[in-house]
């Protein structure tokens, strides 16, 4: 992909805006409806942001481990959980590039729209190594959130990859 990493301050700045809009997205339910929760008690939500998926999974599972690079995203998630009286979410401030040795394995591991990484193979191995049963991920369709006409006008070339869900 045409990876361009955002630093932690970029994500911290986006946190308040994301918290205002992302919880009502139809995407949340579509993604979560694809998950098989059978015989599962725990989930690791990688790149959880403000908790749009973690908050909804908390009612179905014993423990939710919500990992994000941005402390402000996690702060919003913690406040959202408190406002909803959800007590089984555990936040983890970490990135794709940190060691995950101390991060607990979970029955389900998800990475929803959070796989803008330098090394896709390494990221997939990390997800798989933390999953006791299943991994679910989503990636932007067509390799970009921008329409091809806009990319052409900007003279941008995107290497297109498509990964929707992996079980």
């Amino acid at each position: 992909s045409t990876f361009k990493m955002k630093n932690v301050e970029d994500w911290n700045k986006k946190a308040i805006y994301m918290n205002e809009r992302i919880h009502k997205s139809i995407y949340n339910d579509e993604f979560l409806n694809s998950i098989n929760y059978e015989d599962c008690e725990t989930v690791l939500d990688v790149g959880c942001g403000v908790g749009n998926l973690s908050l909804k999974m908390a009612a179905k599972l014993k423990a939710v481990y919500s990992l994000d690079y941005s402390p402000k995203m996690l702060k919003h998630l913690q406040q959202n959980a408190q406002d909803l009286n959800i007590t089984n979410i555990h936040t983890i401030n970490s990135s794709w590039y940190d060691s995950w040795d101390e991060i607990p394995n979970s029955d389900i591991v998800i990475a929803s729209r959070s796989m803008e990484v330098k090394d896709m193979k390494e990221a997939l191995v990390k997800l798989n190594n933390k999953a006791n049963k299943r991994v679910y991920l989503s990636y932007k369709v067509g390799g970009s959130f921008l329409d091809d006409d806009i990319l052409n006008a900007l003279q941008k070339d995107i290497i297109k990859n498509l990964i929707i869900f992996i079980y």
Side-chain angles (χ1 to χ4, degrees):
S1 71
T2 54
F3 167 74
K4 184 178 177 186
M5 185 173 168
K6 289 186 176 96
N7 67 36
V8 76
E9 260 321 297
D10 293 333
W11 288 114
N12 282 341
K13 288 177 188 172
K14 290 182 86 158
I16 193 163
Y17 172 71
M18 284 186 70
N19 196 47
E20 291 171 354
R21 64 177 177 84
I22 201 160
H23 298 286
K24 295 177 181 146
S25 170
I26 191 170
Y27 168 84
N28 299 332
D29 292 329
E30 292 295 322
F31 183 87
L32 294 173
N33 287 338
S34 300
I35 294 176
N36 175 1
Y37 297 93
E38 186 178 337
D39 299 322
C40 294
E41 294 185 345
T42 58
V43 65
L44 171 63
D45 182 359
V46 178
C48 66
V50 296
N52 52 302
L53 301 175
S54 290
L55 294 164
K56 291 184 177 213
M57 289 186 292
K60 298 179 183 203
L61 299 163
K62 186 176 181 179
V64 176
Y65 301 99
S66 303
L67 181 149
D68 204 277
Y69 178 47
S70 163
K72 287 199 177 174
M73 293 281 187
L74 294 174
K75 185 175 180 181
H76 283 285
L77 168 54
Q78 290 165 339
Q79 184 61 55
N80 293 332
Q82 184 178 342
D83 292 347
L84 295 169
N85 201 29
I86 296 171
T87 59
N88 61 336
I89 293 178
H90 312 279
T91 58
I92 303 165
N93 187 212
S94 190
S95 80
W96 284 103
Y97 309 109
D98 294 332
S99 167
W100 286 12
D101 291 343
E102 300 301 316
I103 294 171
N105 277 45
S106 295
D107 295 326
I108 300 169
V109 174
I110 67 169
S112 167
R113 301 187 290 194
S114 66
M115 299 215 38
E116 290 295 321
V117 294
K118 294 176 189 174
D119 186 333
M120 185 65 75
K121 181 178 179 180
E122 182 181 320
L124 292 171
V125 168
K126 272 186 138 168
L127 294 174
N128 189 60
N129 287 342
K130 287 296 165 184
N132 294 333
K133 297 181 181 183
R134 298 183 264 288
V135 174
Y136 296 86
L137 61 93
S138 66
Y139 195 80
K140 53 195 169 194
V141 174
S144 176
F145 293 112
L146 298 176
D147 183 82
D148 284 340
D149 292 335
I150 295 170
L151 292 170
N152 290 335
L154 294 172
Q155 298 179 349
K156 287 267 199 178
D157 189 25
I158 301 292
I159 300 167
K160 296 185 177 188
N161 297 318
L162 174 61
I163 301 172
I164 299 297
F165 297 103
I166 297 176
Y167 301 96

